[in-house]
Amino acid sequence: MTSVTIAGGGIGGLVAAMCLHNAGHEVDVFESVIEPAELGVGINVLPHSVRVLDDLGLLPALNAAGVRTEALAFLSRDGIRIWEEPRGLAAGNPWPQFSIHRGKLQMLLWQAALDRLGPERFHTGRRLTSFDQRNDLVTATFRDRRSDVDIEVSSEVLVGADGIHSVVRQQLHPDQGLPHPSGLVLWRGAVRAPAFLGGRTMFMAGDDGQKAVVYPISDPDDDGTALINWVAERPMDVDMATVSWNREVDPAWVAESFTDWDYGWLDVGALIASSDAAYEFPMVDRHPVDRWSFGRVTLLGDAAHPMRPNGSNGSSQAILDGEALAAALTAADNVPAALTAYEAVRLEPTAKLTLANRQAGPERVMQWVAERCAGACTDEHTCVDTAVLEREANAYKQLAGFDLATLQAMAEPG
């Protein structure tokens, strides 16, 4: 049994806590939020990470809270199809893909971890400020947000699962600088609206100059409406030194850029305008680092590999981190060796994925069409060969670890 302190009770930290607990380790989770709540908008959980959640016994809860995504479509701005592919079980995968409200997923994981580890293992309102390693222990200092008093916690392992602004990562890599801007800004929202394209399709429309991503995060009610998540994207310069994260803006202002994106089966501009709120996020990541693990301290999730959302991979990679960390700590003879082994499994693949997402991941096929189409395509774009589109889609899945052959191999006994 190894004592583990996890700084951060987000998706990655909670999955890691459950995986470590199942492997027999003693885990405490410290979360800076005083009262965890169901916040946020939509998120996608890809089949390779659903496998981990299924192993944790969470598939029934996911089925109840989210939508089993069956198709992904890429469209040009005018709604003409570029490429469409089946997803999840519809693609023959052993595990489904889920589109789900981020807050529902967060609270689902929080409750599951609380039930398994026990409430005494969860410490809310505790914000990590620093850590120190000595005498075969790592001592983390947390500021109690209720009392404004510092609290020291010692354990054999410290896991920094504290997000893109990670205090752990900053102490390990003090010269990393500010997050790396993409030159793009996202606006996000969710609104109840009539279900479209069967109620289980996710689509991305546009190109590098403007883009929309839309998908349901609930099954349709009896009246045919579902909770629809939308993301709008446009180029915009951002000063990373003064940027406001998660700033609320007027949905009508966002919708003005999509007034003519009416596809008959969905009016994107009207969908955005009908939302109660929209939230602004600069699209950023961080440059990959050459190390996550230093002695008894390591990184996980967005603290380790913050990446752009192209390909819908951020949360899925954090979930895979948790499984890999638990396996490494259980197999190795000592903590430093275990954390080095964990890093060896996860650092290179996530670094490659981070860099691939800077090239728009699988979404770059939309820009190819914008550059090559002469306006003759009506029902479906033929300006880029279908074989090229299929090859691009499969290459990204292989890079991210959820291509069909990899998933089928994971499902084989032994």
Side-chain angles (χ1 to χ4, degrees), residues 219-232:
D219 285 322
D221 289 341
D222 292 340
D223 63 358
T225 65
L227 187 60
I228 308 295
N229 183 82
W230 58 265
V231 183

Side-chain angles (χ1 to χ4, degrees), residues 239-259:
D239 183 352
M240 296 308 302
T242 61
V243 65
S244 175
W245 299 88
N246 203 20
R247 181 172 71 96
E248 186 170 347
V249 301
D250 184 355
W253 175 78
V254 181
E256 288 176 0
S257 300
F258 295 89
T259 53

Side-chain angles (χ1 to χ4, degrees), residues 84-108:
E84 183 173 337
E85 63 181 24
R87 281 294 179 113
L89 298 180
N93 294 319
W95 296 277
Q97 174 176 327
F98 285 98
S99 296
I100 187 171
H101 190 286
R102 177 184 284 272
K104 286 188 179 295
L105 177 61
Q106 169 73 20
M107 295 312 296
L108 180 162

Side-chain angles (χ1 to χ4, degrees), residues 48-126:
H48 53 345
S49 60
V50 172
R51 173 188 59 79
V52 178
L53 300 180
D54 187 19
D55 287 345
L56 291 170
L58 298 175
L59 194 56
L62 286 169
N63 279 324
V67 174
R68 288 193 176 204
T69 309
E70 293 183 351
L72 169 64
F74 294 104
L75 315 173
S76 55
R77 292 194 190 197
D78 51 9
I80 296 176
R81 188 176 70 168
I82 298 170
W83 167 256
E84 183 173 337
E85 63 181 24
R87 281 294 179 113
L89 298 180
N93 294 319
W95 296 277
Q97 174 176 327
F98 285 98
S99 296
I100 187 171
H101 190 286
R102 177 184 284 272
K104 286 188 179 295
L105 177 61
Q106 169 73 20
M107 295 312 296
L108 180 162
L109 295 173
W110 183 271
Q111 190 60 53
L114 195 72
D115 291 343
R116 297 170 194 205
L117 276 67
E120 70 278 5
R121 295 292 181 183
F122 285 78
H123 315 273
T124 60
R126 303 286 177 87

Side-chain angles (χ1 to χ4, degrees), residues 1-81:
M1 179 183 294
T2 303
S3 59
V4 182
T5 296
I6 297 179
I11 292 170
L14 292 171
V15 170
M18 286 187 279
C19 290
L20 288 162
H21 173 76
N22 283 0
H25 302 290
E26 185 179 89
V27 186
D28 282 88
V29 177
F30 291 77
E31 168 56 46
S32 64
V33 172
I34 294 175
E35 294 291 341
E38 192 175 290
L39 302 175
V41 285
I43 193 172
N44 283 277
V45 189
L46 302 179
H48 53 345
S49 60
V50 172
R51 173 188 59 79
V52 178
L53 300 180
D54 187 19
D55 287 345
L56 291 170
L58 298 175
L59 194 56
L62 286 169
N63 279 324
V67 174
R68 288 193 176 204
T69 309
E70 293 183 351
L72 169 64
F74 294 104
L75 315 173
S76 55
R77 292 194 190 197
D78 51 9
I80 296 176
R81 188 176 70 168

Side-chain angles (χ1 to χ4, degrees), residues 393-409:
N394 288 336
Y396 186 81
K397 290 176 192 172
Q398 290 171 352
L399 181 65
F402 68 102
D403 59 288
L404 183 58
T406 297
L407 291 171
Q408 289 175 334

